[in-house]
Amino acid sequence: MLQDILGLAMFGSAFALLLTGFPVAFALAGCALVFFAIGMATGAMNYAFLQAFPQRIYGIMTNDVLVAIPLFVLMGVVLERSRVAEELIDTCARLFGAVRGGLGLSIFIVGALLAATTGVVGATVVTMGLMALPPMLRHGYSRSLAAGSVAAAGTLGQIIPPSIVLVVLGDQLGTAYQSAQLALGNFAPETVSVGDLFAGAVVPGLLLVFLYVLYQVLVAWLRPELSPALPPEERSLGPSPLATLLRAVAPTVVLIVAVLGSILGGVATPTEAAAVGAVGAILVAADRRGGRSALVARLTAAAFVALLVLTGLVDLRLGREAVTAGQSAGILVATALCALVAAGLLHALRQLAREGLLRTIARNTTDVTAMIFAILIGATLFSLVFRGLGGEDLVREALSSMPGGPGGAVLLVMAVMFLLGFFLDFLEIVFVVVPIVAPALLQMEGIDPIWLGVMMAVNLQTSFLTPPFGPTLFYLRGVAPPEVTTGDIYRGIVPFVAIQLAVLVLLWLFPALATALPRALYG
C-alpha cells in the first residue's frame, strides 16, 4: 500500500515540477532521487534498484540506434541553414501559382519534403512561418487559412520519417516489447526496430499529406476568394523552368531516397542511413554556394554513390585469408573513393566555416543532442525508481482493469498522452510515459507494437496542433506577422486538427495502414 502511494505521489510530483518550467532532465532525476530516499527510509524500496543505474547509462551511451539522433539533427540543421527550404518554397509556389490555392499546395509539398529531411518539428515550423506565411498574406490568402496551413505542414516532421520522434519512440518501444515478451514467458523475444516504425509511419504520413492537399483544393474550389492564384508576373520559373525545378527539388528528393530508401530496403540501419543523410546534407549546402564548391560537391557525391555501388558488388572486408584479384582491385578502388569523399567533405566543411555557418550548425546540433540525451538519462533514473516503488505493477493493474479490455486501455493512454502534449515536449512524454505504460499494453492480446507506436506518434502530432496549448501554435505565433492574431491561428488550425483526428480513427479501425508495409518489407 505504501509503495502504491509513493509511486502515485512520485508521478504527480514530477508532473507538477515539469509544469513550473524547471529543466526537464533535472526535474525528473531530482524527483527520482527524493522519492528513492523516501522509499529507502520507509523500507518501501530496495537499494539494488539504484545500483542498476550505471549499467542503464552505459547501455544508453553504447546504443547504436541512438547515434542516429545527432546525425539526423545535423542533417536537419544543415539543410535549414543552407536555405534549401526557401528555394523549395519559392520554386513550388511558382510551379503551382497559376491555380487557385496553388501557394497552399506548395506549402504542403514543401512541408512533406522538409519533414522527410529534417525531422525537427520546431525548426521546420519556424522556417515555414518565416518563409511561407508573408507571401501567402501578400497574395491575398485568408489569414486563418494561411496560418493553419503553415502550422499543419510544419508539424508533418512528427510522423514522416526520418522523424526524431520515431527514432526515440522506436527505441523505447523496442525495449518495452522485449520486456513484455519476457514477462509473457517468451525467452526468445522478437524485436521492434526503428526501421519497422519508419515503415509503419510512411502510409499514415502520406495519407495526412493527401488529406491536407484535398482540403486545400476544396477550399479553393468552394471559397476561391480565400486562396487566389498568383499574378502572372510571379509565376515564371525563368528561361529554363525544368532546370530551375530540378535544381530546387532534385537534391532534396535524392537525399530522401538515399536515407529512407536505404532503411526501408534493408540496405542500411537507421544509424548508417543517418550518416549518409548528414554527409549528403553537407554536400547539398556546399552545392548551394555555387562555383568551385558546387563542382567539388557534385564530384564528391558521385564518388560517394560509386562507393555505395561498389560495396554491393564486391566483398570489401579486410583480414581474410584468401583474397581474389578482383577483390584486391575493389579494395584499392574503394580506398581511393573514400579518400575522394573525405577530401570533398573537408572542402565543403571548410567552405561552410568560411561563411560562418559551421560554428552555428555545430552549436545548434550539440545543443539539441545534449538536451535529448540529458532528458533520456533523467527519464531513465525516474522510470527505474518508479519501478522500484512498484509503479509498473500499479500501471499494469490499472490498465488491465479498464472497461473495454485492451481497446479501453489504449484509449486511456492516448487520452493521457494527448493532454500531456499540451504542456510537455514530445521527448518528455516518450521518455517518461512510454517506458511505464508500453510494457503493460504490449502484454495484452491483440496490440501490435508498430501500430501502437504509429498511433502514439500521430496522437502527439495532433496534440501539438490543438488549441489552446499546442506547442506548434506558439512556435508560429513567435514568427507570424503582427496582423496575424492568435485567434486567426486557432481558427485556421481547427480543420487540420479534425483531419488528424480522422486519421487517428482510421488507424484505429484499420491497423493495416500502419502494419501492412512493415510486414511486406520485413515479413
Side-chain angles (χ1 to χ4, degrees):
M1 183 64 180
L2 178 60
Q3 276 191 332
D4 294 346
I5 294 174
L6 287 177
L8 291 173
M10 177 181 174
F11 193 84
S13 299
F15 182 62
L17 194 57
L18 290 173
L19 292 181
T20 64
F22 196 76
V24 176
F26 301 115
L28 294 174
C31 187
L33 290 175
V34 169
F35 277 87
F36 170 76
I38 295 174
M40 286 293 296
T42 58
M45 186 170 179
N46 193 322
Y47 179 73
F49 275 92
L50 200 62
Q51 288 180 317
F53 184 58
Q55 285 77 22
R56 294 289 185 93
I57 300 302
Y58 181 76
I60 293 171
M61 295 298 105
T62 56
N63 189 336
D64 290 340
V65 174
L66 296 179
V67 176
I69 293 176
L71 293 171
F72 279 134
V73 172
L74 174 63
M75 183 173 72
V77 173
V78 170
L79 290 176
E80 177 197 351
R81 294 293 173 178
S82 61
R83 306 187 75 176
V84 171
E86 183 177 352
E87 189 169 353
L88 272 174
I89 291 172
D90 181 66
T91 303
C92 290
R94 293 175 183 274
L95 181 65
F96 296 103
V99 299
R100 291 195 300 265
L103 190 52
L105 295 179
S106 69
I107 296 303
F108 295 126
I109 293 172
V110 172
L113 291 173
L114 290 179
T117 52
T118 62
V120 183
V121 173
T124 305
V125 173
V126 170
T127 301
M128 297 282 285
L130 289 171
M131 302 299 174
L133 196 52
M136 295 181 80
L137 298 176
R138 188 173 66 250
H139 290 105
Y141 272 66
S142 159
R143 292 197 300 267
S144 59
L145 177 62
S149 300
V150 170
T155 317
L156 286 170
Q158 289 273 68
I159 186 63
I160 294 181
S163 161
I164 302 299
V165 178
L166 295 177
V167 173
V168 297
L169 191 55
D171 177 70
Q172 295 296 312
L173 275 177
T175 303
Y177 187 56
Q178 288 190 346
S179 300
Q181 293 289 296
L182 291 172
L184 293 172
N186 179 10
F187 297 104
E190 299 177 357
T191 59
V192 176
S193 69
V194 174
D196 295 328
L197 209 56
F198 277 10
V202 168
V203 173
L206 294 177
L207 179 60
L208 268 177
V209 176
F210 171 75
L211 292 177
Y212 285 171
V213 168
L214 181 61
Y215 171 74
Q216 184 72 48
V217 171
L218 289 175
V219 169
W221 180 42
L222 298 173
R223 303 281 304 276
E225 72 278 4
L226 299 182
S227 52
L230 294 184
E233 64 272 12
E234 296 192 27
R235 302 174 194 168
S236 173
L237 286 171
S240 179
L242 182 60
T244 303
L245 183 63
L246 288 176
R247 172 175 170 75
V249 177
T252 306
V253 172
V254 169
L255 203 56
I256 293 171
V257 171
V259 175
L260 280 185
S262 59
I263 296 173
L264 300 181
V267 177
T269 66
T271 302
E272 293 166 344
V276 171
V279 171
I282 292 171
L283 295 179
V284 168
D287 181 69
R288 285 293 186 274
R289 270 50 262 166
R292 182 182 175 187
S293 294
L295 177 62
V296 172
R298 292 170 189 176
L299 290 175
T300 304
F304 192 65
V305 171
L307 181 61
L308 293 178
V309 172
L310 185 63
T311 56
L313 298 177
V314 181
D315 187 351
L316 301 176
R317 291 175 296 171
L318 302 175
R320 291 165 299 160
E321 294 181 1
V323 180
T324 66
Q327 290 169 338
S328 297
I331 291 172
L332 289 175
V333 173
T335 302
L337 290 174
C338 286
L340 286 174
V341 171
L345 190 59
L346 286 173
H347 182 274
L349 292 172
R350 183 182 178 188
Q351 182 65 30
L352 294 177
R354 283 178 175 175
E355 298 183 11
L357 292 175
L358 188 59
R359 182 185 295 273
T360 303
I361 290 169
R363 183 171 59 248
N364 290 352
T365 303
T366 303
D367 288 346
V368 174
T369 304
M371 176 196 69
I372 292 173
F373 279 89
I375 293 174
L376 177 55
I377 291 171
T380 299
L381 180 58
F382 180 87
S383 61
L384 194 63
V385 175
F386 189 74
R387 283 195 181 96
L389 292 173
E392 191 174 51
D393 296 331
L394 185 65
V395 170
R396 183 168 58 251
E397 292 172 6
L399 293 177
S400 301
S401 61
M402 280 293 298
V410 172
L411 190 60
L412 174 64
V413 170
M414 290 296 164
V416 170
M417 293 181 71
F418 184 85
L419 294 175
L420 290 178
F422 288 157
F423 310 104
L424 305 180
D425 189 71
F426 74 89
L427 291 170
E428 301 152 23
I429 298 172
V430 171
F431 288 145
V432 175
V433 177
V434 173
I436 293 173
V437 302
L441 288 176
L442 294 175
Q443 290 180 43
M444 298 179 179
E445 185 178 354
I447 297 181
D448 185 282
I450 297 174
W451 172 79
L452 180 63
V454 175
M455 285 285 289
M456 287 180 170
V458 177
N459 186 34
L460 286 175
Q461 182 179 351
T462 307
S463 176
F464 268 46
L465 277 175
T466 303
F469 301 114
T472 298
L473 309 179
F474 295 107
Y475 290 143
L476 185 60
R477 174 66 276 170
V479 298
E483 63 268 23
V484 178
T485 65
T486 302
D488 292 329
I489 297 175
Y490 285 178
R491 285 190 296 273
I493 206 61
V494 168
F496 298 102
V497 171
I499 291 173
Q500 295 260 154
L501 292 174
V503 171
L504 266 177
V505 172
L506 288 174
L507 280 170
W508 184 282
L509 297 175
F510 306 103
L513 289 172
T515 59
L517 184 59
R519 286 175 182 168
L521 292 175
Y522 311 122

